[in-house]
């Protein structure tokens, strides 16, 4: 057959077809971006003030503050779908937002607040936060405070909201202004490799997760690697005073006023045993400049016994599951909540024994109770014996995720595979006997993503692969542990001393995330038999799930480029 020469009608037709598809995709993406921008520019809706009703009891108020919002989320920014769901659930649980003035009047004038009052805030002053959050404020009739850094006012960094936009946002009634300070900078940094850095700004200090210790620019003397101050009292006071004066001057110049609320970086340091000279240097400026100060983080609830200058809020993390915030809400307020279940068909396969479980596409997300272990059991799994199991552990690395095999609900017998802070641990427990460790394997340096577990449990032996690496081959298992349930567990890790210095109010709720689970029986010949359970998508569902992920990536790319 004669080869087709380049430049033929067929070639030109294919090129035109590809060009048309590219043009169509670009047109759709551009249309979406234009719609978003129009929505951001023209805010016609106005916030409606809520009316208080009689018979309300003083329960104080909760405060929730987010670092920022992105379309599909990042390591630091919330997915806009997470924000939408969390605000919707707060509304469904009866919460209504209050203003900064409401809080001032509550503490100074004894003003009543709604029975379920919420102070909502977004930190760092990011454009994308306002862009994606505005529709949800309108939908729920919520008011929020946008906090900024003063040194971002009037600079060329387009991702930060500028004074003109802040003024426009305030006119809608949905937004008030606040501040995180003049700038984001860190001192006294010690990393895990033994390096020490007296000072780094936000752009220089991008590897915070590798730091053993650091604090904010305003929270201490600048010290050397032996923790000896590199500045005297007068130098420290001058350095701190300069930051507050620059903040004051900038806001008066750019906005015409100083925001009423301050959320200091770092939370939980001031009034919590820090150096008294540094504390006094901050305290004087804070009391002179601001009407209220959210100094603490980690607790939701503020009551009449708190003070305007030492309020507390919770900062939900992007890796929190929805039930994490609800679990925190229930624990801090004492009010019962309705946990989300997700896919009810998937949920019918499981029995949650402790904590709360949400079932999503190819995912079982298990949230532990505070300081305890979350536990979910596969239904009709009491007679699990010989099993081939595969799944992916994708919960945050600072926590414990468990797989129980041949277990009972009392957990006095089981085979357990754990991922504990990047260490794979295999253990067995016989009735009346001590826990026996069979393996401890540290994941390779730098691994903090998903961990694939594949195992084969047959008779009295166990095979185990982690991320494709064989760790156990025919490992002997006690013959007394013959059958039982398949269960999944999740538990927070208590902080050690150094971690407690960085985060003294560390959260003790943890989300175990288990993806693409398939459990399959092994028959008498040792071959895979009937599938006992799987949540892995297939067919048309898998195609649609993949297409949605591809579309999300394309739109995210377009938003960055344009």
């Amino acid at each position: 057959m004669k080869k087709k020469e380049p430049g033929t009608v067929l070639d030109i037709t294919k090129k035109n077809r590809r060009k048309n598809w590219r043009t169509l995709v670009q047109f759709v993406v551009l249309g979406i971006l234009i719609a978003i921008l129009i929505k951001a520019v023209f805010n016609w809706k106005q916030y409606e003030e809520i009316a208080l009703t009689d018979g309300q009891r003083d329960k104080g108020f909760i405060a929730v503050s987010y670092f920022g919002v992105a379309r599909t989320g990042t390591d630091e920014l919330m997915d806009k779908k997470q924000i939408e769901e969390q605000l919707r659930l707060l509304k469904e649980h009866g919460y209504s937002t209050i203003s900064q003035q409401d809080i001032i009047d509550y503490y100074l004038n004894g003003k009543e607040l709604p029975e379920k009052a919420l102070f909502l805030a977004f930190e760092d002053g990011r454009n994308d936060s306002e862009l994606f959050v505005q529709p949800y404020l309108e939908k729920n009739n919520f008011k929020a405070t946008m906090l900024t850094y003063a040194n971002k006012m009037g600079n060329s960094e387009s991702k930060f909201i500028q004074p003109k936009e802040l003024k426009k946002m305030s006119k809608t009634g949905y937004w008030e202004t606040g501040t995180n300070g003049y700038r984001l900078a860190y001192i006294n940094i010690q990393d895990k490799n033994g390096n020490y850095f007296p000072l780094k700004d936000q752009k220089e200090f991008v590897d915070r997760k590798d730091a053993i210790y650091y604090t904010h620019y305003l929270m201490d003397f600048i010290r050397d690697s032996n923790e000896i101050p590199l500045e005297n009292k007068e130098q420290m006071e001058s350095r701190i005073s300069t930051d507050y004066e620059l903040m004051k001057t900038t806001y008066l110049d750019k906005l015409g006023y100083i925001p009423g609320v301050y959320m200091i970086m770092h939370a939980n340091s001031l009034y919590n045993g820090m150096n008294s000279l540094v504390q006094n240097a901050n305290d004087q400026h804070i009391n002179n400049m601001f009407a209220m100060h959210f100094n603490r983080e980690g607790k939701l609830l503020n009551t009449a016994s708190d003070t305007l200058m030492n309020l507390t809020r919770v900062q939900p993390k992007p890796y929190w599951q929805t039930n994490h915030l609800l679990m925190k809400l229930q624990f801090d307020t004492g009010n019962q909540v309705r946990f989300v279940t997700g896919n009810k068909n998937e949920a019918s396969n499981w029995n949650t024994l402790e904590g709360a479980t949400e079932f999503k596409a190819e995912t079982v997300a298990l949230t532990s109770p505070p300081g305890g272990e979350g536990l979910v059991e596969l239904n009709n799994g009491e007679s699990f014996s010989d099993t081939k199991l595969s799944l992916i552990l994708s919960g945050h690395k600072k926590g414990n995720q468990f797989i129980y095999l041949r277990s009972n609900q009392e957990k006095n017998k089981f085979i357990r595979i754990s991922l504990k802070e990047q260490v794979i641990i295999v253990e067995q427990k016989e009735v009346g006997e001590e826990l026996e460790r069979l393996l401890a394997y540290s994941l390779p340096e730098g691994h903090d993503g998903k961990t694939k577990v594949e195992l084969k449990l047959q008779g009295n032996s166990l095979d185990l692969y982690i991320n494709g690496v064989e760790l156990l081959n025919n490992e002997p298992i006690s013959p007394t542990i013959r059958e039982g349930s398949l269960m999944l567990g999740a538990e927070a890790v208590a902080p050690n001393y150094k971690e407690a210095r960085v985060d003294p109010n560390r959260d003790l709720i943890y989300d175990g995330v288990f993806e693409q689970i398939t459990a399959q029986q092994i028959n008498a010949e040792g071959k895979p038999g009937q599938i006992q359970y799987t949540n892995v998508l297939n067919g048309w569902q898998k195609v649609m799930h993949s297409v949605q992920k591809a579309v999300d990536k394309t739109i995210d790319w377009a938003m960055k480029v344009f």
Side-chain angles (χ1 to χ4, degrees), residues 141-340:
N141 194 43
F142 276 179
K143 181 189 290 287
T145 289
M146 178 64 74
L147 298 116
T148 61
Y149 285 99
N151 73 330
K152 304 299 183 184
M153 297 285 97
N155 72 9
S156 59
E157 294 183 70
S158 59
K159 69 178 181 180
F160 294 104
I161 298 173
Q162 296 304 312
K164 183 178 179 181
E165 179 66 15
L166 279 172
K167 293 176 182 178
K168 187 183 75 172
M169 290 164 59
S170 297
K171 290 180 181 178
T172 69
Y174 290 104
W175 294 99
E176 297 182 290
T177 58
T179 182
N180 287 123
Y182 177 68
R183 59 174 169 168
L184 191 55
Y186 304 89
I187 59 173
N188 305 336
I189 303 161
Q190 181 182 350
D191 69 20
K192 63 184 181 182
N193 298 317
N195 300 312
Y196 192 84
F197 306 93
L199 171 64
K200 281 189 177 184
D201 65 22
Q202 182 182 13
K203 291 182 179 179
E204 295 174 316
F205 191 26
V206 296
D207 53 352
R208 290 193 296 278
K209 64 182 180 180
D210 293 327
I212 295 174
Y213 177 77
Y214 61 88
T215 192
H216 186 261
Y217 186 75
L218 301 177
M219 293 292 101
D220 199 358
F221 284 89
I222 295 178
R223 301 174 183 271
D224 65 17
S225 58
N226 295 314
E227 300 191 7
I228 298 173
L230 295 172
E231 54 187 357
N232 59 33
K233 176 176 177 290
E234 288 73 24
Q235 291 169 325
M236 174 274 294
E237 290 175 340
S238 176
R239 173 174 59 84
I240 290 176
S241 179
T242 297
D243 247 43
Y244 282 101
E245 289 303 318
L246 285 170
M247 177 168 38
K248 178 180 179 180
T249 301
T250 302
Y251 280 122
L252 288 175
D253 179 51
K254 301 298 182 181
L255 292 179
Y257 62 90
I258 301 171
V261 62
Y262 181 35
M263 289 190 182
I264 198 170
M265 292 287 293
H266 259 152
N268 304 318
S269 293
L270 207 63
Y271 321 128
N272 193 35
M274 69 182 293
N275 184 283
S276 60
L277 296 176
V278 179
Q279 177 173 298
N280 292 339
N282 281 276
D283 197 53
Q284 178 182 353
H285 291 286
I286 292 170
N287 281 279
N288 287 339
M289 288 178 62
F290 301 106
M292 73 182 80
H293 176 208
F294 283 84
N295 174 57
R296 293 174 286 145
E297 193 280 326
K299 301 294 182 184
L300 275 166
L301 186 62
N302 295 276
T303 66
S305 62
D306 292 298
T307 66
L308 275 170
M309 289 299 153
N310 194 19
L311 299 172
T312 182
R313 85 279 197 187
V314 155
Q315 297 168 312
K317 309 299 187 294
Y319 54 82
W320 282 19
Q321 299 296 312
T322 301
N323 282 329
H324 194 126
L325 179 60
L326 293 175
M327 187 71 75
K328 184 70 176 166
L329 181 65
Q330 179 171 277
F331 182 70
D332 284 3
T333 65
N335 297 327
Q336 291 296 309
V337 303
R338 300 179 300 278
F339 293 109
V340 297

Side-chain angles (χ1 to χ4, degrees), residues 53 78 80 108 129 183 312 382 431 455 484 509 511:
T53 59
M78 301 289 288
K80 73 181 186 69
L108 298 185
S129 293
R183 59 174 169 168
T312 182
E382 298 86 355
V431 177
L455 63 87
I509 300 169
D511 303 311

